[in-house]
Short mmCIF file of all heavy atoms in Angstrom, two decimals:
data_model
loop_
_atom_site.label_atom_id
_atom_site.label_comp_id
_atom_site.label_asym_id
_atom_site.label_seq_id
_atom_site.Cartn_x
_atom_site.Cartn_y
_atom_site.Cartn_z
N ALA R 1 -3.51 -9.34 13.31
CA ALA R 1 -2.29 -8.65 13.73
C ALA R 1 -1.34 -9.59 14.46
O ALA R 1 -0.12 -9.42 14.41
CB ALA R 1 -2.64 -7.45 14.61
N ILE R 2 -1.89 -10.60 15.10
CA ILE R 2 -1.07 -11.61 15.77
C ILE R 2 -0.68 -12.72 14.79
O ILE R 2 0.46 -13.17 14.74
CB ILE R 2 -1.83 -12.20 16.97
CG1 ILE R 2 -2.17 -11.09 17.97
CG2 ILE R 2 -1.03 -13.32 17.64
CD1 ILE R 2 -3.09 -11.53 19.10
N PHE R 3 -1.63 -13.14 13.98
CA PHE R 3 -1.41 -14.27 13.07
C PHE R 3 -0.32 -13.99 12.05
O PHE R 3 0.43 -14.90 11.66
CB PHE R 3 -2.73 -14.60 12.35
CG PHE R 3 -2.65 -15.78 11.43
CD1 PHE R 3 -2.76 -17.06 11.92
CD2 PHE R 3 -2.45 -15.61 10.06
CE1 PHE R 3 -2.68 -18.16 11.08
CE2 PHE R 3 -2.37 -16.69 9.22
CZ PHE R 3 -2.49 -17.98 9.73
N VAL R 4 -0.17 -12.75 11.58
CA VAL R 4 0.78 -12.44 10.53
C VAL R 4 2.21 -12.72 10.96
O VAL R 4 3.11 -12.92 10.12
CB VAL R 4 0.61 -10.97 10.08
CG1 VAL R 4 1.16 -10.00 11.13
CG2 VAL R 4 1.26 -10.73 8.73
N TRP R 5 2.46 -12.77 12.26
CA TRP R 5 3.82 -13.06 12.75
C TRP R 5 4.23 -14.51 12.56
O TRP R 5 5.37 -14.88 12.83
CB TRP R 5 3.94 -12.66 14.22
CG TRP R 5 3.96 -11.17 14.40
CD1 TRP R 5 2.92 -10.37 14.73
CD2 TRP R 5 5.09 -10.31 14.23
NE1 TRP R 5 3.31 -9.05 14.77
CE2 TRP R 5 4.64 -8.99 14.48
CE3 TRP R 5 6.43 -10.51 13.90
CZ2 TRP R 5 5.49 -7.88 14.40
CZ3 TRP R 5 7.27 -9.43 13.82
CH2 TRP R 5 6.80 -8.13 14.07
N LEU R 6 3.31 -15.36 12.12
CA LEU R 6 3.67 -16.73 11.77
C LEU R 6 4.52 -16.79 10.50
O LEU R 6 5.16 -17.81 10.23
CB LEU R 6 2.41 -17.59 11.59
CG LEU R 6 1.57 -17.83 12.85
CD1 LEU R 6 0.32 -18.63 12.51
CD2 LEU R 6 2.38 -18.53 13.92
N ALA R 7 4.49 -15.73 9.71
CA ALA R 7 5.35 -15.68 8.51
C ALA R 7 6.81 -15.59 8.93
O ALA R 7 7.14 -15.03 9.97
CB ALA R 7 4.96 -14.50 7.64
N ARG R 8 7.66 -16.15 8.11
CA ARG R 8 9.10 -16.09 8.39
C ARG R 8 9.63 -14.69 8.09
O ARG R 8 9.26 -14.08 7.09
CB ARG R 8 9.86 -17.10 7.54
CG ARG R 8 9.62 -18.55 7.93
CD ARG R 8 10.59 -19.47 7.19
NE ARG R 8 10.42 -20.84 7.60
CZ ARG R 8 9.64 -21.73 6.99
NH1 ARG R 8 8.94 -21.34 5.93
NH2 ARG R 8 9.55 -22.96 7.41
N GLY R 9 10.52 -14.22 8.94
CA GLY R 9 11.17 -12.96 8.68
C GLY R 9 12.28 -13.13 7.67
O GLY R 9 12.79 -14.24 7.45
N VAL R 10 12.68 -12.06 7.04
CA VAL R 10 13.73 -12.08 6.04
C VAL R 10 14.92 -11.28 6.57
O VAL R 10 14.74 -10.15 7.04
CB VAL R 10 13.26 -11.47 4.70
CG1 VAL R 10 14.39 -11.45 3.68
CG2 VAL R 10 12.09 -12.28 4.16
N PRO R 11 16.13 -11.85 6.53
CA PRO R 11 17.30 -11.09 7.00
C PRO R 11 17.43 -9.78 6.26
O PRO R 11 17.18 -9.70 5.05
CB PRO R 11 18.48 -12.03 6.70
CG PRO R 11 17.87 -13.39 6.59
CD PRO R 11 16.50 -13.17 6.04
N ARG R 12 17.82 -8.74 6.99
CA ARG R 12 17.99 -7.44 6.35
C ARG R 12 19.13 -7.49 5.36
O ARG R 12 20.21 -8.00 5.64
CB ARG R 12 18.28 -6.37 7.41
CG ARG R 12 17.06 -6.04 8.26
CD ARG R 12 17.39 -4.89 9.20
NE ARG R 12 16.23 -4.50 9.96
CZ ARG R 12 15.30 -3.68 9.54
NH1 ARG R 12 15.40 -3.13 8.35
NH2 ARG R 12 14.28 -3.36 10.30
N LYS R 13 18.87 -6.98 4.21
CA LYS R 13 19.91 -6.91 3.18
C LYS R 13 19.61 -5.71 2.29
O LYS R 13 18.50 -5.16 2.28
CB LYS R 13 19.95 -8.18 2.33
CG LYS R 13 18.64 -8.47 1.60
CD LYS R 13 18.76 -9.75 0.79
CE LYS R 13 17.46 -10.04 0.03
NZ LYS R 13 17.57 -11.26 -0.76
N LYS R 14 20.60 -5.32 1.54
CA LYS R 14 20.43 -4.19 0.65
C LYS R 14 19.41 -4.53 -0.42
O LYS R 14 19.52 -5.57 -1.08
CB LYS R 14 21.77 -3.83 0.00
CG LYS R 14 21.71 -2.55 -0.83
CD LYS R 14 23.07 -2.21 -1.38
CE LYS R 14 23.03 -0.93 -2.20
NZ LYS R 14 24.36 -0.58 -2.75
N PRO R 15 18.39 -3.72 -0.60
CA PRO R 15 17.37 -4.04 -1.60
C PRO R 15 17.95 -4.07 -3.01
O PRO R 15 18.89 -3.35 -3.33
CB PRO R 15 16.35 -2.90 -1.45
CG PRO R 15 17.11 -1.79 -0.80
CD PRO R 15 18.14 -2.43 0.08
N GLU R 16 17.35 -4.91 -3.83
CA GLU R 16 17.81 -5.02 -5.21
C GLU R 16 17.54 -3.72 -5.95
O GLU R 16 16.44 -3.17 -5.89
CB GLU R 16 17.07 -6.16 -5.92
CG GLU R 16 17.33 -7.52 -5.29
CD GLU R 16 16.56 -8.61 -6.03
OE1 GLU R 16 15.96 -8.29 -7.07
OE2 GLU R 16 16.57 -9.74 -5.58
N PRO R 17 18.56 -3.19 -6.69
CA PRO R 17 18.34 -1.93 -7.39
C PRO R 17 17.33 -2.06 -8.53
O PRO R 17 16.66 -1.11 -8.88
CB PRO R 17 19.74 -1.58 -7.92
CG PRO R 17 20.47 -2.89 -7.97
CD PRO R 17 19.92 -3.72 -6.85
N LYS R 18 17.26 -3.26 -9.11
CA LYS R 18 16.35 -3.47 -10.23
C LYS R 18 15.53 -4.74 -9.99
O LYS R 18 15.96 -5.84 -10.34
CB LYS R 18 17.12 -3.60 -11.54
CG LYS R 18 17.83 -2.32 -11.97
CD LYS R 18 18.53 -2.52 -13.30
CE LYS R 18 19.22 -1.24 -13.76
NZ LYS R 18 19.92 -1.41 -15.05
N PRO R 19 14.38 -4.63 -9.33
CA PRO R 19 13.53 -5.80 -9.15
C PRO R 19 13.15 -6.41 -10.49
O PRO R 19 12.97 -5.69 -11.48
CB PRO R 19 12.30 -5.23 -8.42
CG PRO R 19 12.76 -3.94 -7.83
CD PRO R 19 13.81 -3.42 -8.77
N SER R 20 13.02 -7.72 -10.52
CA SER R 20 12.72 -8.40 -11.78
C SER R 20 11.31 -8.05 -12.26
O SER R 20 10.45 -7.64 -11.48
CB SER R 20 12.82 -9.91 -11.59
OG SER R 20 11.81 -10.38 -10.70
N PHE R 21 11.11 -8.23 -13.57
CA PHE R 21 9.80 -7.97 -14.16
C PHE R 21 8.74 -8.86 -13.51
O PHE R 21 7.63 -8.42 -13.22
CB PHE R 21 9.86 -8.24 -15.66
CG PHE R 21 8.54 -8.12 -16.36
CD1 PHE R 21 8.04 -6.88 -16.73
CD2 PHE R 21 7.77 -9.25 -16.63
CE1 PHE R 21 6.81 -6.77 -17.36
CE2 PHE R 21 6.55 -9.14 -17.27
CZ PHE R 21 6.08 -7.90 -17.64
N GLU R 22 9.09 -10.13 -13.30
CA GLU R 22 8.14 -11.07 -12.71
C GLU R 22 7.74 -10.63 -11.31
O GLU R 22 6.57 -10.72 -10.92
CB GLU R 22 8.71 -12.49 -12.68
CG GLU R 22 8.82 -13.15 -14.05
CD GLU R 22 10.04 -12.64 -14.83
OE1 GLU R 22 10.88 -11.93 -14.23
OE2 GLU R 22 10.14 -12.95 -16.03
N LEU R 23 8.73 -10.16 -10.51
CA LEU R 23 8.43 -9.74 -9.15
C LEU R 23 7.51 -8.52 -9.14
O LEU R 23 6.52 -8.47 -8.40
CB LEU R 23 9.73 -9.41 -8.41
CG LEU R 23 9.59 -8.87 -6.98
CD1 LEU R 23 8.90 -9.89 -6.10
CD2 LEU R 23 10.95 -8.50 -6.41
N LEU R 24 7.80 -7.53 -9.99
CA LEU R 24 6.96 -6.34 -10.05
C LEU R 24 5.56 -6.67 -10.54
O LEU R 24 4.57 -6.15 -10.03
CB LEU R 24 7.61 -5.30 -10.95
CG LEU R 24 8.88 -4.63 -10.40
CD1 LEU R 24 9.50 -3.73 -11.46
CD2 LEU R 24 8.57 -3.83 -9.15
N ARG R 25 5.46 -7.54 -11.54
CA ARG R 25 4.14 -7.92 -12.06
C ARG R 25 3.34 -8.65 -10.98
O ARG R 25 2.12 -8.41 -10.82
CB ARG R 25 4.33 -8.82 -13.29
CG ARG R 25 3.03 -9.41 -13.82
CD ARG R 25 2.25 -8.39 -14.63
NE ARG R 25 0.92 -8.86 -14.94
CZ ARG R 25 0.62 -9.74 -15.90
NH1 ARG R 25 1.59 -10.23 -16.67
NH2 ARG R 25 -0.62 -10.10 -16.13
N ALA R 26 4.02 -9.53 -10.23
CA ALA R 26 3.33 -10.26 -9.17
C ALA R 26 2.84 -9.31 -8.08
O ALA R 26 1.71 -9.41 -7.61
CB ALA R 26 4.26 -11.32 -8.57
#
């Protein structure tokens, strides 16, 4: 629970309306 905060945060933005096929498959 502490270690996961080492990941970089992502700036808030409007989510993509259509995620790519590669992203969904991954």
Side-chain angles (χ1 to χ4, degrees):
I2 300 172
F3 183 82
V4 74
W5 288 98
L6 293 178
R8 290 189 177 93
V10 178
R12 289 185 176 276
K13 60 180 181 179
K14 186 177 180 180
E16 298 180 6
K18 294 182 179 180
S20 66
F21 175 81
E22 289 78 10
L23 177 61
L24 289 173
R25 174 78 190 281

